[in-house]
Amino acid sequence: MYSIWAIGTLVSFHAICTTAYTWPSPKLDALEAARFDQLGDNAVSAELTSFIQPCDLFLLPGNTGRSNAADWIRTAYHDMATHNAADGTGGLDASIRFPDEQRRPENAGDGFQNTMSIVPLGLTNRYVSVADSIALAALLAIENCGGPEIPFRGGRIDATKPNLPGVPQPQQDLNSHIASFARQGFTPTEMIGLVACGHSFGGVQHDFFPDIVGNLHDPNSTLNVADFDSTFFQFDNKIATEYISGTTKNPLVIGKNHTTNSDKRIFSSDGNSTMHTFANSPGLFASTCADLFARMLDTVPSNVQLTEVLSPLPVKPSVQLILDGDIIQLSGQVRLWNMTEDPTRTVRMRWHDHHGGIGNATLSFTGTSSSTGGKYAAAWYAFNASDPENSLSLDAHSGVKSLSFVVNDQLEDQDGLGFAIQDGFMFSATSCLVMHPFTGRFDVAVRNGVNPTRVYLEEISADDTQKVTVTEIDISPPTSPVFGHSGYSLWSINLTNPTTVYSIGAEIEGVKYSTTDEHLLIEFPLCSGAL
Ligand code: HEM
Ligand SMILES: *[C@@H]1O[C@H](CO)[C@@H](O)[C@H](O)[C@H]1NC(C)=O
Ligand SMILES: *[C@@H]1O[C@H](CO)[C@@H](O)[C@H](O)[C@H]1NC(C)=O
Ligand SMILES: *[C@@H]1O[C@H](CO)[C@@H](O)[C@H](O)[C@H]1NC(C)=O
Ligand SMILES: *[C@@H]1O[C@H](CO)[C@@H](O)[C@H](O)[C@H]1NC(C)=O
Ligand SMILES: *[C@@H]1O[C@H](CO)[C@@H](O)[C@H](O)[C@H]1NC(C)=O
Ligand SMILES: *[C@@H]1O[C@H](CO)[C@@H](O)[C@H](O)[C@H]1NC(C)=O
Ligand SMILES: *[C@@H]1O[C@H](CO)[C@@H](O)[C@H](O)[C@H]1NC(C)=O
């Protein structure tokens, strides 16, 4: 999925609009997609969602007693629990991905290897950190397995080394737990809530906690896990009802060795009053957990500034531009939020060019996606109705300044702002390859009269800790620009790495713009006459 957007104007968007932001915004567009495009067409988190659906899935079908969904929730908590509210260190920052942190006694079990081995899964990119992905994965697990909707903010920053230890353990006493949760930023009552909310999922493994859980010999738990409640892969208040009624099998409540009955000490620490309210009201339990889970996910080091709570854009295009001779190929789709398939709906796109002209095309339905356990649906429409796989051909001289959409008779133009398109620079279809020696000539088309201060490639790579980095490689202006008929001239750079992913960026009048289309040299055609 592609978009072109202005990075430099991000800050002002919050002032204009508190509920949804104004498109385009590179980081928010990517976070919004990761948050809301969960299953179906163009779903960013589809691969991850497939690991937590069905909710009782654990690694392979046939394993019983444990669930991937629970692993994700525990991962988010253990990553966060190193937070020190007093000095602002630690928090949800993906430090749990470091083997040195996973090996600590407080992180016993194999849950973190399981989750961290798949965390990048289509979610992590230049705008969505590993830490954002962990938060999203926990949120997806909760929402898709019966839990409440959780407000999501993005912008977490990945730690570069393990945090100080600080995750509570079952054998510690109540005062230690109260102190530990206070350090993390939670009151004693919130501690009861967060433990009950988390332990609505999963259980304790015999393999890693043999002193707490004996060998179960339970055909219903091939993985030998004593679950916290009878619905360990679904969010509900059974963790509280079973505790209050005395029927609980929670191994941290009924364990023979009282030292490790931490849930019992925590749940009864206020005379059971909080657990009573949870048991009496599934709704109160759900809303309390939505708040506490959101607080847990938003607990980050104090130097990290999270975004506003993301809400879905009602109309959201994704756009890619390519200069091809005298035409601009405009390709992409538009997503209409909270809409299902409707063959009677007409969706038209209008593009406003530099000369005051307005073109239009009827778009074609391509599919639907869903979100939040099927609570929301979205319908997608492609720009070229006759061939959704293909682009619209626009006159390059006239260019394209902005888009608007007409859904049935309703104009969608972000309250008059339009959907701004940056056609000052774009990938040029003249880019090509020479095989011996392997060289790719990457051509960027720059619109005459635009005069960017810089044009550069953004080399996108992940380091060996899965953190995504972007390196800018400046392209020199052509010594003798060729002003072709198209109204664009080409800036070129020779590159030799066939597998590096490149996007294009430019600085125009002090504002940095970036495309999200990604290019690989090996996808270029051979240069004419080249061997
Ligand atoms: C005093 C605080 C806590 C203690 C002592 C504690 C202890 C434990 C222990 C011993 C396990 C078993 C892990 C395994 O067998 O792999 C576990 C599992 C789990 N914990 Fe906690 N926990 C605490 C708080 C929390 C909180 C606050 C959350 C989340 C909000 C949470 C979420 C989970 C989940 C989801 C599992 C199940 C993991 C799975 O089945 O794979 N825990 N906890
Ligand atoms: C296994 O689960 C089934 C269905 O939930 C239940 O009827 C049965 O009693 C369980 N077996 C054991 C050993 O707990
Ligand atoms: C109970 O658990 C604690 C902490 O793991 C341990 O030190 C103690 O020996 C255990 N007691 C018994 C009787 O097993
Ligand atoms: C809290 O509830 C548990 C489970 O029903 C019970 O065993 C315990 O005695 C109660 N504690 C208090 C202080 O009421
Ligand atoms: C979805 O759209 C329907 C009408 O089309 C509206 O009643 C409903 O409130 C919308 N839901 C959300 C969550 O936007
Ligand atoms: C759409 O474009 C066609 C030309 O391609 C033009 O004749 C028509 O008036 C336009 N319709 C609208 C609603 O702008
Ligand atoms: C849509 O794509 C086809 C190529 O399959 C192309 O021939 C056609 O011109 C495109 N439509 C427009 C309006 O550009
Ligand atoms: C790229 O390499 C070709 C062939 O060696 C050379 O002619 C051309 O000047 C180079 N272009 C740039 C921008 O360095």
Side-chain angles (χ1 to χ4, degrees), residues 66 70-71 73-74 77 168-170 177 181 194-195 198-199 201-205 209 228 252 262 266 293 296:
R66 211 174 149 190
D71 265 21
I73 298 160
R74 182 168 180 250
Y77 176 63
Q169 298 182 58
H177 286 151
F181 277 83
L194 200 55
V195 174
H199 290 176
F201 288 91
V204 180
Q205 301 185 67
F209 297 90
F228 293 125
L252 301 182
S262 53
I266 288 171
F293 280 138
M296 169 177 100

PDB file of all heavy atoms in Angstrom, residues 66 70-71 73-74 77 168-170 177 181 194-195 198-199 201-205 209 228 252 262 266 293 296, ligand 1:
ATOM      1  N   ARG A  66      -3.211 -24.046  26.050  1.00  0.00           N
ATOM      2  CA  ARG A  66      -2.452 -22.806  25.993  1.00  0.00           C
ATOM      3  C   ARG A  66      -2.874 -22.036  24.757  1.00  0.00           C
ATOM      4  O   ARG A  66      -3.414 -22.620  23.819  1.00  0.00           O
ATOM      5  CB  ARG A  66      -0.965 -23.167  25.904  1.00  0.00           C
ATOM      6  CG  ARG A  66      -0.080 -22.140  26.567  1.00  0.00           C
ATOM      7  CD  ARG A  66       1.354 -22.595  26.585  1.00  0.00           C
ATOM      8  NE  ARG A  66       2.174 -21.393  26.522  1.00  0.00           N
ATOM      9  CZ  ARG A  66       3.476 -21.392  26.324  1.00  0.00           C
ATOM     10  NH1 ARG A  66       4.110 -22.528  26.147  1.00  0.00           N
ATOM     11  NH2 ARG A  66       4.141 -20.261  26.285  1.00  0.00           N
ATOM     12  N   ALA A  70      -2.815 -15.493  24.728  1.00  0.00           N
ATOM     13  CA  ALA A  70      -2.359 -15.261  26.107  1.00  0.00           C
ATOM     14  C   ALA A  70      -0.879 -14.889  26.133  1.00  0.00           C
ATOM     15  O   ALA A  70      -0.455 -14.006  26.879  1.00  0.00           O
ATOM     16  CB  ALA A  70      -2.612 -16.501  26.960  1.00  0.00           C
ATOM     17  N   ASP A  71      -0.093 -15.559  25.292  1.00  0.00           N
ATOM     18  CA  ASP A  71       1.341 -15.260  25.241  1.00  0.00           C
ATOM     19  C   ASP A  71       1.596 -13.792  24.903  1.00  0.00           C
ATOM     20  O   ASP A  71       2.511 -13.168  25.436  1.00  0.00           O
ATOM     21  CB  ASP A  71       2.015 -16.123  24.170  1.00  0.00           C
ATOM     22  CG  ASP A  71       2.616 -17.388  24.758  1.00  0.00           C
ATOM     23  OD1 ASP A  71       2.191 -17.790  25.851  1.00  0.00           O
ATOM     24  OD2 ASP A  71       3.516 -17.955  24.111  1.00  0.00           O
ATOM     25  N   ILE A  73      -0.370 -11.221  25.475  1.00  0.00           N
ATOM     26  CA  ILE A  73      -0.769 -10.328  26.567  1.00  0.00           C
ATOM     27  C   ILE A  73       0.300 -10.345  27.657  1.00  0.00           C
ATOM     28  O   ILE A  73       0.704  -9.307  28.182  1.00  0.00           O
ATOM     29  CB  ILE A  73      -2.161 -10.746  27.097  1.00  0.00           C
ATOM     30  CG1 ILE A  73      -3.192 -10.598  25.977  1.00  0.00           C
ATOM     31  CG2 ILE A  73      -2.549  -9.925  28.327  1.00  0.00           C
ATOM     32  CD1 ILE A  73      -4.459 -11.405  26.176  1.00  0.00           C
ATOM     33  N   ARG A  74       0.816 -11.541  27.962  1.00  0.00           N
ATOM     34  CA  ARG A  74       1.884 -11.634  28.957  1.00  0.00           C
ATOM     35  C   ARG A  74       3.142 -10.935  28.453  1.00  0.00           C
ATOM     36  O   ARG A  74       3.851 -10.275  29.218  1.00  0.00           O
ATOM     37  CB  ARG A  74       2.171 -13.115  29.269  1.00  0.00           C
ATOM     38  CG  ARG A  74       3.237 -13.314  30.337  1.00  0.00           C
ATOM     39  CD  ARG A  74       3.289 -14.781  30.828  1.00  0.00           C
ATOM     40  NE  ARG A  74       4.304 -14.980  31.856  1.00  0.00           N
ATOM     41  CZ  ARG A  74       5.423 -15.676  31.663  1.00  0.00           C
ATOM     42  NH1 ARG A  74       5.686 -16.251  30.494  1.00  0.00           N
ATOM     43  NH2 ARG A  74       6.304 -15.809  32.645  1.00  0.00           N
ATOM     44  N   TYR A  77       2.810  -7.250  29.000  1.00  0.00           N
ATOM     45  CA  TYR A  77       2.938  -6.900  30.415  1.00  0.00           C
ATOM     46  C   TYR A  77       4.394  -6.982  30.877  1.00  0.00           C
ATOM     47  O   TYR A  77       4.908  -6.072  31.520  1.00  0.00           O
ATOM     48  CB  TYR A  77       2.034  -7.766  31.307  1.00  0.00           C
ATOM     49  CG  TYR A  77       2.282  -7.434  32.761  1.00  0.00           C
ATOM     50  CD1 TYR A  77       2.014  -6.149  33.234  1.00  0.00           C
ATOM     51  CD2 TYR A  77       2.863  -8.354  33.630  1.00  0.00           C
ATOM     52  CE1 TYR A  77       2.312  -5.795  34.546  1.00  0.00           C
ATOM     53  CE2 TYR A  77       3.153  -8.014  34.942  1.00  0.00           C
ATOM     54  CZ  TYR A  77       2.885  -6.733  35.389  1.00  0.00           C
ATOM     55  OH  TYR A  77       3.195  -6.380  36.672  1.00  0.00           O
ATOM     56  N   PRO A 168       7.113  -8.638  38.558  1.00  0.00           N
ATOM     57  CA  PRO A 168       6.776  -9.363  39.790  1.00  0.00           C
ATOM     58  C   PRO A 168       6.768 -10.881  39.594  1.00  0.00           C
ATOM     59  O   PRO A 168       6.488 -11.368  38.500  1.00  0.00           O
ATOM     60  CB  PRO A 168       5.377  -8.849  40.140  1.00  0.00           C
ATOM     61  CG  PRO A 168       4.854  -8.158  38.940  1.00  0.00           C
ATOM     62  CD  PRO A 168       6.027  -7.761  38.093  1.00  0.00           C
ATOM     63  N   GLN A 169       7.073 -11.601  40.664  1.00  0.00           N
ATOM     64  CA  GLN A 169       7.097 -13.072  40.606  1.00  0.00           C
ATOM     65  C   GLN A 169       6.207 -13.642  41.716  1.00  0.00           C
ATOM     66  O   GLN A 169       6.033 -13.009  42.759  1.00  0.00           O
ATOM     67  CB  GLN A 169       8.538 -13.570  40.780  1.00  0.00           C
ATOM     68  CG  GLN A 169       9.470 -13.091  39.670  1.00  0.00           C
ATOM     69  CD  GLN A 169      10.879 -13.639  39.830  1.00  0.00           C
ATOM     70  OE1 GLN A 169      11.071 -14.848  39.855  1.00  0.00           O
ATOM     71  NE2 GLN A 169      11.852 -12.753  39.965  1.00  0.00           N
ATOM     72  N   PRO A 170       5.687 -14.875  41.490  1.00  0.00           N
ATOM     73  CA  PRO A 170       4.663 -15.417  42.399  1.00  0.00           C
ATOM     74  C   PRO A 170       5.115 -15.593  43.845  1.00  0.00           C
ATOM     75  O   PRO A 170       4.301 -15.477  44.758  1.00  0.00           O
ATOM     76  CB  PRO A 170       4.300 -16.777  41.779  1.00  0.00           C
ATOM     77  CG  PRO A 170       5.025 -16.889  40.495  1.00  0.00           C
ATOM     78  CD  PRO A 170       5.931 -15.727  40.336  1.00  0.00           C
ATOM     79  N   HIS A 177       4.678  -6.787  45.899  1.00  0.00           N
ATOM     80  CA  HIS A 177       3.850  -6.599  44.708  1.00  0.00           C
ATOM     81  C   HIS A 177       3.245  -5.197  44.671  1.00  0.00           C
ATOM     82  O   HIS A 177       3.239  -4.552  43.628  1.00  0.00           O
ATOM     83  CB  HIS A 177       2.764  -7.678  44.637  1.00  0.00           C
ATOM     84  CG  HIS A 177       3.316  -9.018  44.226  1.00  0.00           C
ATOM     85  ND1 HIS A 177       2.775 -10.212  44.616  1.00  0.00           N
ATOM     86  CD2 HIS A 177       4.404  -9.334  43.466  1.00  0.00           C
ATOM     87  CE1 HIS A 177       3.484 -11.214  44.103  1.00  0.00           C
ATOM     88  NE2 HIS A 177       4.479 -10.704  43.407  1.00  0.00           N
ATOM     89  N   PHE A 181       4.031  -2.670  41.622  1.00  0.00           N
ATOM     90  CA  PHE A 181       3.015  -2.017  40.787  1.00  0.00           C
ATOM     91  C   PHE A 181       3.060  -0.496  40.955  1.00  0.00           C
ATOM     92  O   PHE A 181       2.828   0.242  40.000  1.00  0.00           O
ATOM     93  CB  PHE A 181       1.621  -2.592  41.060  1.00  0.00           C
ATOM     94  CG  PHE A 181       1.357  -3.866  40.294  1.00  0.00           C
ATOM     95  CD1 PHE A 181       1.797  -5.097  40.779  1.00  0.00           C
ATOM     96  CD2 PHE A 181       0.719  -3.837  39.060  1.00  0.00           C
ATOM     97  CE1 PHE A 181       1.590  -6.269  40.054  1.00  0.00           C
ATOM     98  CE2 PHE A 181       0.506  -5.009  38.339  1.00  0.00           C
ATOM     99  CZ  PHE A 181       0.944  -6.226  38.841  1.00  0.00           C
ATOM    100  N   LEU A 194      -5.458  -5.166  37.145  1.00  0.00           N
ATOM    101  CA  LEU A 194      -4.598  -5.555  36.021  1.00  0.00           C
ATOM    102  C   LEU A 194      -4.256  -7.046  36.073  1.00  0.00           C
ATOM    103  O   LEU A 194      -4.227  -7.724  35.039  1.00  0.00           O
ATOM    104  CB  LEU A 194      -3.326  -4.698  36.011  1.00  0.00           C
ATOM    105  CG  LEU A 194      -2.566  -4.643  34.687  1.00  0.00           C
ATOM    106  CD1 LEU A 194      -3.458  -4.192  33.535  1.00  0.00           C
ATOM    107  CD2 LEU A 194      -1.347  -3.742  34.789  1.00  0.00           C
ATOM    108  N   VAL A 195      -4.031  -7.571  37.271  1.00  0.00           N
ATOM    109  CA  VAL A 195      -3.730  -9.004  37.380  1.00  0.00           C
ATOM    110  C   VAL A 195      -4.964  -9.818  36.964  1.00  0.00           C
ATOM    111  O   VAL A 195      -4.863 -10.791  36.201  1.00  0.00           O
ATOM    112  CB  VAL A 195      -3.259  -9.380  38.805  1.00  0.00           C
ATOM    113  CG1 VAL A 195      -3.090 -10.895  38.930  1.00  0.00           C
ATOM    114  CG2 VAL A 195      -1.953  -8.669  39.136  1.00  0.00           C
ATOM    115  N   GLY A 198      -5.414  -9.559  33.131  1.00  0.00           N
ATOM    116  CA  GLY A 198      -4.407 -10.356  32.413  1.00  0.00           C
ATOM    117  C   GLY A 198      -4.670 -11.837  32.580  1.00  0.00           C
ATOM    118  O   GLY A 198      -4.609 -12.613  31.622  1.00  0.00           O
ATOM    119  N   HIS A 199      -4.983 -12.239  33.812  1.00  0.00           N
ATOM    120  CA  HIS A 199      -5.171 -13.666  34.084  1.00  0.00           C
ATOM    121  C   HIS A 199      -6.571 -14.154  33.709  1.00  0.00           C
ATOM    122  O   HIS A 199      -6.937 -15.268  34.058  1.00  0.00           O
ATOM    123  CB  HIS A 199      -4.798 -13.985  35.543  1.00  0.00           C
ATOM    124  CG  HIS A 199      -3.313 -13.886  35.793  1.00  0.00           C
ATOM    125  ND1 HIS A 199      -2.736 -14.039  37.026  1.00  0.00           N
ATOM    126  CD2 HIS A 199      -2.275 -13.650  34.943  1.00  0.00           C
ATOM    127  CE1 HIS A 199      -1.415 -13.893  36.937  1.00  0.00           C
ATOM    128  NE2 HIS A 199      -1.107 -13.658  35.674  1.00  0.00           N
ATOM    129  N   PHE A 201      -6.796 -14.645  30.769  1.00  0.00           N
ATOM    130  CA  PHE A 201      -6.218 -15.465  29.693  1.00  0.00           C
ATOM    131  C   PHE A 201      -5.114 -16.357  30.258  1.00  0.00           C
ATOM    132  O   PHE A 201      -4.387 -15.944  31.171  1.00  0.00           O
ATOM    133  CB  PHE A 201      -5.569 -14.572  28.633  1.00  0.00           C
ATOM    134  CG  PHE A 201      -6.538 -13.805  27.782  1.00  0.00           C
ATOM    135  CD1 PHE A 201      -6.941 -12.537  28.153  1.00  0.00           C
ATOM    136  CD2 PHE A 201      -7.034 -14.352  26.606  1.00  0.00           C
ATOM    137  CE1 PHE A 201      -7.825 -11.819  27.363  1.00  0.00           C
ATOM    138  CE2 PHE A 201      -7.918 -13.632  25.816  1.00  0.00           C
ATOM    139  CZ  PHE A 201      -8.316 -12.367  26.193  1.00  0.00           C
ATOM    140  N   GLY A 202      -4.964 -17.546  29.677  1.00  0.00           N
ATOM    141  CA  GLY A 202      -3.774 -18.354  29.902  1.00  0.00           C
ATOM    142  C   GLY A 202      -3.732 -19.063  31.241  1.00  0.00           C
ATOM    143  O   GLY A 202      -4.736 -19.208  31.949  1.00  0.00           O
ATOM    144  N   GLY A 203      -2.525 -19.486  31.591  1.00  0.00           N
ATOM    145  CA  GLY A 203      -2.323 -20.242  32.815  1.00  0.00           C
ATOM    146  C   GLY A 203      -0.846 -20.418  33.091  1.00  0.00           C
ATOM    147  O   GLY A 203      -0.005 -19.730  32.520  1.00  0.00           O
ATOM    148  N   VAL A 204      -0.544 -21.368  33.990  1.00  0.00           N
ATOM    149  CA  VAL A 204       0.840 -21.606  34.410  1.00  0.00           C
ATOM    150  C   VAL A 204       1.289 -22.966  33.868  1.00  0.00           C
ATOM    151  O   VAL A 204       0.599 -23.971  34.034  1.00  0.00           O
ATOM    152  CB  VAL A 204       0.963 -21.558  35.952  1.00  0.00           C
ATOM    153  CG1 VAL A 204       2.402 -21.810  36.384  1.00  0.00           C
ATOM    154  CG2 VAL A 204       0.455 -20.218  36.488  1.00  0.00           C
ATOM    155  N   GLN A 205       2.461 -22.986  33.252  1.00  0.00           N
ATOM    156  CA  GLN A 205       2.983 -24.209  32.639  1.00  0.00           C
ATOM    157  C   GLN A 205       3.697 -25.078  33.669  1.00  0.00           C
ATOM    158  O   GLN A 205       4.565 -24.592  34.396  1.00  0.00           O
ATOM    159  CB  GLN A 205       4.029 -23.867  31.575  1.00  0.00           C
ATOM    160  CG  GLN A 205       3.570 -23.003  30.443  1.00  0.00           C
ATOM    161  CD  GLN A 205       4.694 -22.865  29.432  1.00  0.00           C
ATOM    162  OE1 GLN A 205       5.087 -23.833  28.777  1.00  0.00           O
ATOM    163  NE2 GLN A 205       5.229 -21.663  29.294  1.00  0.00           N
ATOM    164  N   PHE A 209       7.178 -24.136  35.707  1.00  0.00           N
ATOM    165  CA  PHE A 209       6.836 -23.871  37.119  1.00  0.00           C
ATOM    166  C   PHE A 209       6.398 -25.169  37.796  1.00  0.00           C
ATOM    167  O   PHE A 209       5.285 -25.273  38.312  1.00  0.00           O
ATOM    168  CB  PHE A 209       5.719 -22.819  37.206  1.00  0.00           C
ATOM    169  CG  PHE A 209       6.117 -21.472  36.645  1.00  0.00           C
ATOM    170  CD1 PHE A 209       5.897 -21.172  35.303  1.00  0.00           C
ATOM    171  CD2 PHE A 209       6.711 -20.515  37.455  1.00  0.00           C
ATOM    172  CE1 PHE A 209       6.285 -19.933  34.778  1.00  0.00           C
ATOM    173  CE2 PHE A 209       7.086 -19.277  36.939  1.00  0.00           C
ATOM    174  CZ  PHE A 209       6.878 -18.985  35.603  1.00  0.00           C
ATOM    175  N   PHE A 228      -5.860 -20.258  34.406  1.00  0.00           N
ATOM    176  CA  PHE A 228      -6.315 -19.340  35.468  1.00  0.00           C
ATOM    177  C   PHE A 228      -7.833 -19.383  35.653  1.00  0.00           C
ATOM    178  O   PHE A 228      -8.342 -19.082  36.720  1.00  0.00           O
ATOM    179  CB  PHE A 228      -5.888 -17.905  35.165  1.00  0.00           C
ATOM    180  CG  PHE A 228      -4.398 -17.686  35.215  1.00  0.00           C
ATOM    181  CD1 PHE A 228      -3.715 -17.143  34.127  1.00  0.00           C
ATOM    182  CD2 PHE A 228      -3.679 -18.013  36.356  1.00  0.00           C
ATOM    183  CE1 PHE A 228      -2.350 -16.919  34.183  1.00  0.00           C
ATOM    184  CE2 PHE A 228      -2.299 -17.789  36.416  1.00  0.00           C
ATOM    185  CZ  PHE A 228      -1.634 -17.244  35.326  1.00  0.00           C
ATOM    186  N   LEU A 252      -2.443 -20.012  40.951  1.00  0.00           N
ATOM    187  CA  LEU A 252      -1.847 -18.999  41.830  1.00  0.00           C
ATOM    188  C   LEU A 252      -2.807 -18.605  42.958  1.00  0.00           C
ATOM    189  O   LEU A 252      -2.575 -17.652  43.682  1.00  0.00           O
ATOM    190  CB  LEU A 252      -1.425 -17.755  41.021  1.00  0.00           C
ATOM    191  CG  LEU A 252      -0.399 -17.995  39.896  1.00  0.00           C
ATOM    192  CD1 LEU A 252      -0.026 -16.681  39.206  1.00  0.00           C
ATOM    193  CD2 LEU A 252       0.857 -18.689  40.422  1.00  0.00           C
ATOM    194  N   SER A 262       0.252 -15.978  44.640  1.00  0.00           N
ATOM    195  CA  SER A 262       0.274 -14.513  44.555  1.00  0.00           C
ATOM    196  C   SER A 262      -1.085 -13.938  44.155  1.00  0.00           C
ATOM    197  O   SER A 262      -1.486 -12.885  44.649  1.00  0.00           O
ATOM    198  CB  SER A 262       1.357 -14.059  43.577  1.00  0.00           C
ATOM    199  OG  SER A 262       1.202 -14.697  42.326  1.00  0.00           O
ATOM    200  N   ILE A 266      -3.129 -11.106  46.175  1.00  0.00           N
ATOM    201  CA  ILE A 266      -3.474  -9.848  45.506  1.00  0.00           C
ATOM    202  C   ILE A 266      -4.990  -9.666  45.456  1.00  0.00           C
ATOM    203  O   ILE A 266      -5.513  -8.610  45.820  1.00  0.00           O
ATOM    204  CB  ILE A 266      -2.837  -9.817  44.097  1.00  0.00           C
ATOM    205  CG1 ILE A 266      -1.321  -9.631  44.233  1.00  0.00           C
ATOM    206  CG2 ILE A 266      -3.459  -8.729  43.226  1.00  0.00           C
ATOM    207  CD1 ILE A 266      -0.535  -9.791  42.950  1.00  0.00           C
ATOM    208  N   PHE A 293      -5.714  -2.004  30.506  1.00  0.00           N
ATOM    209  CA  PHE A 293      -4.887  -2.495  29.396  1.00  0.00           C
ATOM    210  C   PHE A 293      -4.325  -1.310  28.598  1.00  0.00           C
ATOM    211  O   PHE A 293      -3.160  -1.315  28.192  1.00  0.00           O
ATOM    212  CB  PHE A 293      -5.705  -3.398  28.465  1.00  0.00           C
ATOM    213  CG  PHE A 293      -5.886  -4.819  28.943  1.00  0.00           C
ATOM    214  CD1 PHE A 293      -7.119  -5.460  28.822  1.00  0.00           C
ATOM    215  CD2 PHE A 293      -4.827  -5.554  29.474  1.00  0.00           C
ATOM    216  CE1 PHE A 293      -7.304  -6.781  29.231  1.00  0.00           C
ATOM    217  CE2 PHE A 293      -4.991  -6.884  29.886  1.00  0.00           C
ATOM    218  CZ  PHE A 293      -6.238  -7.493  29.762  1.00  0.00           C
ATOM    219  N   MET A 296      -1.568   0.099  30.516  1.00  0.00           N
ATOM    220  CA  MET A 296      -0.414  -0.798  30.439  1.00  0.00           C
ATOM    221  C   MET A 296       0.329  -0.590  29.111  1.00  0.00           C
ATOM    222  O   MET A 296       1.546  -0.429  29.090  1.00  0.00           O
ATOM    223  CB  MET A 296      -0.904  -2.253  30.559  1.00  0.00           C
ATOM    224  CG  MET A 296       0.134  -3.307  30.241  1.00  0.00           C
ATOM    225  SD  MET A 296      -0.524  -4.988  30.492  1.00  0.00           S
ATOM    226  CE  MET A 296      -0.912  -5.479  28.823  1.00  0.00           C
TER     227      MET A 296
HETATM  228  C1  HEM B   1       2.041 -10.091  40.656  1.00  0.00           C
HETATM  229  C2  HEM B   1       1.817 -10.076  39.365  1.00  0.00           C
HETATM  230  C3  HEM B   1       1.876 -11.292  38.498  1.00  0.00           C
HETATM  231  C4  HEM B   1       2.438 -12.508  38.727  1.00  0.00           C
HETATM  232  C5  HEM B   1       3.204 -12.979  39.951  1.00  0.00           C
HETATM  233  C6  HEM B   1       2.187 -13.325  37.563  1.00  0.00           C
HETATM  234  C7  HEM B   1       2.611 -14.632  37.399  1.00  0.00           C
HETATM  235  C8  HEM B   1       2.383 -15.416  36.296  1.00  0.00           C
HETATM  236  C9  HEM B   1       2.892 -16.721  36.077  1.00  0.00           C
HETATM  237  C10 HEM B   1       3.787 -17.485  37.028  1.00  0.00           C
HETATM  238  C11 HEM B   1       2.457 -17.160  34.874  1.00  0.00           C
HETATM  239  C12 HEM B   1       2.776 -18.480  34.183  1.00  0.00           C
HETATM  240  C13 HEM B   1       3.674 -18.249  32.968  1.00  0.00           C
HETATM  241  C14 HEM B   1       3.979 -19.514  32.204  1.00  0.00           C
HETATM  242  O1  HEM B   1       3.669 -20.610  32.688  1.00  0.00           O
HETATM  243  O2  HEM B   1       4.543 -19.412  31.091  1.00  0.00           O
HETATM  244  C15 HEM B   1       1.651 -16.120  34.337  1.00  0.00           C
HETATM  245  C16 HEM B   1       1.004 -16.194  33.128  1.00  0.00           C
HETATM  246  C17 HEM B   1       0.326 -15.150  32.567  1.00  0.00           C
HETATM  247  N1  HEM B   1       0.267 -13.859  33.031  1.00  0.00           N
HETATM  248 FE1  HEM B   1       0.812 -13.235  34.861  1.00  0.00          FE
HETATM  249  N2  HEM B   1       1.482 -12.585  36.656  1.00  0.00           N
HETATM  250  C18 HEM B   1       1.275 -11.346  37.188  1.00  0.00           C
HETATM  251  C19 HEM B   1       0.642 -10.282  36.585  1.00  0.00           C
HETATM  252  C20 HEM B   1       0.148 -10.300  35.292  1.00  0.00           C
HETATM  253  C21 HEM B   1      -0.412  -9.162  34.622  1.00  0.00           C
HETATM  254  C22 HEM B   1      -0.542  -7.771  35.223  1.00  0.00           C
HETATM  255  C23 HEM B   1      -0.763  -9.578  33.365  1.00  0.00           C
HETATM  256  C24 HEM B   1      -1.385  -8.800  32.251  1.00  0.00           C
HETATM  257  C25 HEM B   1      -2.095  -7.718  32.361  1.00  0.00           C
HETATM  258  C26 HEM B   1      -0.456 -10.988  33.286  1.00  0.00           C
HETATM  259  C27 HEM B   1      -0.724 -11.779  32.195  1.00  0.00           C
HETATM  260  C28 HEM B   1      -0.458 -13.126  32.126  1.00  0.00           C
HETATM  261  C29 HEM B   1      -0.914 -13.992  31.056  1.00  0.00           C
HETATM  262  C30 HEM B   1      -1.788 -13.579  29.865  1.00  0.00           C
HETATM  263  C31 HEM B   1      -0.405 -15.259  31.336  1.00  0.00           C
HETATM  264  C32 HEM B   1      -0.611 -16.522  30.518  1.00  0.00           C
HETATM  265  C33 HEM B   1       0.525 -16.761  29.576  1.00  0.00           C
HETATM  266  C34 HEM B   1       0.306 -18.004  28.748  1.00  0.00           C
HETATM  267  O3  HEM B   1      -0.622 -18.782  29.042  1.00  0.00           O
HETATM  268  O4  HEM B   1       1.089 -18.212  27.825  1.00  0.00           O
HETATM  269  N3  HEM B   1       0.115 -11.386  34.456  1.00  0.00           N
HETATM  270  N4  HEM B   1       1.623 -15.059  35.217  1.00  0.00           N
END
